[in-house]
């Protein structure tokens, strides 16, 4: 069986956070019905496109976020469309939506309406600020960089000599989607144990304010001491820390403590420093000339190394280290190849290519074979047919703008 | 009032540093009984945060200011038990319990296996060889508890060339391309510093995987083993960038604060020390409103910045121009006036700003928890809420070994004699054995 076998999810989301939530549910076996407006989820028009050719079936972000889902185009602004969505909702155990707080009440797709007579419904709302609070009431606008700047650790990211630095891509929204998937499954777990459903309130901002990427630690540090975390000018915590160049790129290495510092100096050809007390002193209290001397030896060694080899050597010596890979390095990296991380998925419009696949491996309920993202409205007939709508009725529904 | 969804679920927690503890934090917050199993004979510095020399307060303060805040003990006081005072530990371990047992000894290992018999879930994120050497792999644990769910989350996985690579989040992020992609576009990756985003994502995804396995077990009666490679887990986060390479052969390059099409888009300086406003200009209307509010009529009519693609093309110059204007405003004023005009904007919040944020406070995000030694402190709280299930943080992080009595006696059923032996052998105790934290005088380490 699949991990989420027998679970149907009505997916009323667009963009990134909601679709990542429902992608995770779909990837592990839930039947996710993605409801799109006639023009499609706006993400279908976000670049980059396969072959750099724009088109609703070619957005790489969309293709990535919507694997294993079925697409139906139903317009909730029409009364027939509303009726179809209500019927679909009644067949789903989980509804995920990302409308502005209160906005779905007008079409009867809010938690209050759908849970009437259905206390076991799991309903997940994903919004920038949450369902309550002054920023939600004022309908403040937000996007990825705002979530990270206000909620996340942006002030601590980057160089003290520069502006704060955002994390790559749509990290905050992706993470919020994963939090939403977790919340949906624990709520479902309670329902399947005979308990009640619930309305989960996900604020993307709040998932960043509570993120374990430094923020909860720095907030607690502030609470304890009044000191705020800041960006640094470079390797602050270790003589041997941080990103440095090799002959063919960059690596990131960290050595602390007696044994590892001794390994580090041997690695860079400075056996004369083994046992030197300065190696385990706070770097901020060291003579800058000594820091410079170690740094010069390290660089001299590094610049003769290949990045993967330098990391392999550091790891052999028990040091923490990683290569600063580019996307090109990544897809050829032997480790990921050997472990079979990449999914090759065919798509009739975009073509066949490799996607980043499983996030984890479940031994008893392995992830089902990945299916490509749906074409716009691809499953209209199939899904409406399951509701008892005859194929002959579809042209009329189409003409009326219902689907 | 509904019960917490994971009530009745017991978790054995052998996690270290940040990623694994975030999994068990999320499980504990929603009702699971999480029992941390920790040795008294070794300290993992990034977990309990106390192996550093005890520097004077000034040095600690400087460390905090440098961004390294794991050692920012309450009021900068390390006390005799610094391992109970680390913000790195205390920010995740609330709602958890702590027992002491060293699984690398035969006695501690047997205690652990007795615990496994009483648990539903076991979570760990050590280097694979650590679990193998301790002979505590899934096959072994399953003998004692056939329905056990075990989550292992090493950096790179349980097979492959990097299987036993040691790494923190920041090294993993190098290996999966995040460090490169998030670097400043006009600098080498050295300037981008260290981040630990992979820990956060692995934590959430680990909790998600356990939740699914619990659901499966209720239906099939079977537990299972989950392998979460922290590196592989992060790859889908960068999906569109990776696909751009695998489909289009395009390396998008370091992105910094830029957007794929919006401009201006970034963090811009404001009045004050290290104050910044985030701005995301997503339309021509927003652009005109931004120019109006910044008092920059010249920019509004500048042909180079007329359309989104014009602005994107000239984004380096544009960023400089915008910064020259934002510098004359406060971040708080810009947040208010730009949002009022429909422009996406928000301040880059310091930790203090976040504690004062009206939105987080209206939602009760921060919560006070009392500690028997250093008093009541305020902590970041739950990341989501359920309308019909009121939920709060229950208790502050446990002191090392605090729940020994409860776990050994009540859960594991140790007799008086057995418990006394465990105390005598040193398995059971409060705090670390003498000498484990060398900079503490021996008489003070009890």
């Amino acid at each position: 069986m699949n991990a989420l076998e027998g679970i149907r999810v009505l997916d009323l989301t667009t963009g990134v956070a909601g679709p990542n939530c429902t992608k995770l549910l779909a990837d592990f076996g839930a039947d996710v019905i993605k409801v799109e407006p006639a023009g499609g989820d706006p993400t279908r028009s976000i670049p980059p496109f396969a072959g750099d050719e724009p088109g609703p079936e070619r957005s790489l972000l969309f293709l990535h976020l919507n694997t294993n889902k079925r697409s139906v185009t139903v317009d909730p602004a029409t009364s027939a469309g509303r009726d179809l969505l209500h019927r679909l909702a009644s067949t789903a155990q989980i509804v995920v939506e990302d409308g502005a707080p209160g906005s779905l009440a007008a079409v009867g797709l809010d938690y209050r309406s759908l849970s009437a007579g259905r206390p076991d419904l799991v309903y997940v709302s994903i919004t920038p600020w949450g369902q309550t609070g002054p920023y939600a009431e004022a309908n403040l606008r937000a996007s990825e960089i705002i979530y990270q700047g206000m909620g996340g650790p942006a002030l601590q990211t980057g160089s003290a000599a520069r502006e704060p630095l955002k994390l790559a891509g749509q990290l905050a929204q992706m993470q919020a989607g994963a939090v939403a998937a977790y919340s949906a499954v624990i709520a479902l777990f309670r329902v399947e144990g005979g308990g009640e459903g619930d309305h989960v309130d996900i604020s993307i901002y709040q998932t960043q304010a509570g993120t374990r990427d430094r923020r909860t630690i720095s907030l607690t540090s502030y609470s304890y001491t009044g000191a705020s975390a800041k960006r640094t000018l470079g390797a602050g915590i270790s003589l041997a820390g941080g990103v440095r160049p090799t002959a063919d790129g960059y690596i990131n290495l960290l050595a602390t403590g007696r044994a590892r510092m001794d390994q580090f100096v041997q690695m860079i050809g400075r056996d004369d420093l083994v046992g030197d007390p300065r190696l385990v002193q706070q770097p901020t209290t060291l003579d800058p000339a000594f820091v410079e001397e170690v740094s010069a030896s390290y660089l001299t060694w590094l610049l003769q190394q290949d990045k993967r080899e330098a990391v392999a050597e550091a790891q052999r010596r028990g040091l923490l280290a990683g290569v600063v890979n580019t996307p090109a390095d990544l897809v050829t990296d032997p480790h990921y190849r050997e472990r079979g991380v990449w999914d090759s998925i065919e798509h009739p419009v975009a073509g066949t290519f490799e996607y980043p696949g499983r996030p984890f491996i479940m031994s008893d309920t392995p992830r089902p074979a990945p299916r490509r993202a749906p074409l716009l409205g691809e499953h209209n007939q199939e899904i409406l047919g399951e509701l008892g709508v005859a194929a002959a009725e579809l042209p009329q529904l189409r003409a009326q703008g219902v689907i | 009032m509904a019960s917490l969804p994971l009530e009745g679920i017991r978790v054995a927690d052998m996690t270290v540093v940040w990623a694994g503890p975030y999994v068990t934090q999320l499980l504990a917050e929603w009702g699971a009984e999480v029992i941390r199993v920790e040795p008294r004979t070794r300290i993992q510095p990034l977990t309990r945060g106390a192996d550093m020399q005890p520097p004077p307060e000034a040095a600690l303060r400087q460390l905090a200011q440098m961004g390294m805040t794991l050692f920012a003990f309450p009021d900068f006081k390390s006390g005799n038990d610094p391992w109970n005072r680390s913000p790195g530990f205390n920010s995740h371990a609330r709602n958890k319990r702590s027992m002491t047992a060293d699984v690398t000894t035969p006695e501690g290992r047997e205690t652990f296996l007795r615990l496994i018999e009483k648990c539903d879930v076991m979570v760990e994120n050590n280097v694979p060889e650590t679990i193998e050497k301790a002979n505590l792999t899934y096959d072994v644990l399953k003998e004692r508890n056939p329905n056990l769910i075990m989550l292992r989350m090493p950096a790179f996985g349980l097979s492959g060339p990097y299987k036993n690579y040691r790494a923190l989040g920041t090294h993993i992020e190098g290996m999966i391309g995040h460090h490169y992609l998030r670097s400043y576009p006009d600098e080498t990756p050295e300037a981008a510093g260290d981040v630990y985003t992979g820990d956060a994502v692995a934590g959430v995804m680990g909790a998600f995987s356990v939740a699914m396995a619990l659901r499966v077990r209720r239906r099939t009666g079977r537990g299972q083993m989950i392998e979460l490679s922290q590196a592989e887990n992060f790859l889908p986060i960068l999906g569109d960038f990776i696909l751009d390479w695998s489909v289009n052969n395009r390396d998008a390059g370091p992105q910094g604060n830029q957007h794929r099409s919006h401009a201006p888009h970034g963090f811009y300086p404001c009045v004050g020390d290290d104050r910044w406003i985030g701005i995301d200009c997503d339309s021509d209307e927003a652009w005109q409103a931004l120019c109006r509010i910044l008092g920059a009529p010249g920019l509004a009519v500048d042909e180079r910045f007329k359309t989104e693609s014009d602005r994107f093309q000239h984004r380096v110059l544009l960023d400089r121009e915008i910064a020259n204007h934002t510098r004359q405003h406060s971040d708080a004023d810009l947040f208010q006036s730009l949002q009022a005009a429909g422009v996406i904007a928000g301040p880059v919040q310091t930790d203090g700003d976040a504690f004062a944020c009206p939105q987080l406070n209206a939602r009760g995000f921060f919560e006070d928890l009392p500690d028997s030694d250093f008093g009541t402190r305020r902590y970041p709280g739950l990341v989501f809420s359920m309308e019909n299930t009121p939920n709060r943080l229950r208790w502050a992080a446990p002191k090392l070994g605090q729940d020994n009595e409860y776990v050994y006696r009540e859960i594991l059923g140790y007799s008086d004699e057995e418990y006394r032996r465990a105390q005598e052998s040193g398995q059971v105790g409060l705090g670390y054995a003498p000498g484990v934290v060398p900079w503490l005088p021996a008489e003070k380490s009890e």
Side-chain angles (χ1 to χ4, degrees), chain B residues 73 77-82 85 439-440 444:
Chain B
F73 306 117
K77 291 184 175 125
S78 62
N80 296 333
D81 59 344
R85 293 163 176 262
W439 53 268
L440 275 185
K444 289 177 82 182

Side-chain angles (χ1 to χ4, degrees), chain A residues 176-191:
Chain A
V179 170
Y182 167 62
S183 74
V185 178
I186 59 172
L188 175 74
F189 180 68
R190 187 172 68 191
V191 168

Side-chain angles (χ1 to χ4, degrees), chain B residues 191-214:
Chain B
D194 290 321
V195 305
Y196 300 89
T197 318
D199 293 70
V201 177
V204 176
M205 293 291 283
F208 168 59
S209 74
V210 168
M212 285 196 296
L214 283 168

